[in-house]
Amino acid sequence: MKQEQIDRINELARKAKTPEGLTEEEKAEQAVLRRAYIDSVLGNLRGQLDHTYIVDEQGNKRKLKEKEG
């Protein structure tokens, strides 16, 4: 996610707290930007976890597995 998008999310959040609030268009833009931010964070986390290994007592490395259920 680009810094300009993060700045816009923050700008909209500040404006939402003012008495004038957000217009419907700004609310829709905020929702889209927030979803993109969440997707970006989750993607980064998944990438980091995909490259994470557990080392057991014998020194064997094994990849993290996705939890079932």
Side-chain angles (χ1 to χ4, degrees), residues 6-60:
I6 294 171
D7 292 342
R8 181 65 178 155
I9 290 171
N10 292 331
E11 180 183 329
L12 290 170
R14 281 190 296 274
K15 185 175 179 190
K17 294 177 185 178
T18 64
E20 69 186 49
L22 296 175
T23 65
E24 290 304 315
E25 293 166 351
E26 289 171 330
K27 287 178 185 178
E29 178 187 6
Q30 185 182 43
V32 169
L33 288 170
R34 283 181 172 173
R35 182 77 254 166
Y37 179 78
I38 291 168
D39 291 343
S40 173
V41 169
L42 289 175
N44 290 338
L45 178 59
R46 178 156 304 277
Q48 186 173 9
L49 291 175
D50 285 345
H51 294 90
T52 301
Y53 292 86
I54 302 288
V55 179
D56 63 18
E57 295 84 24
Q58 289 80 31
N60 300 319

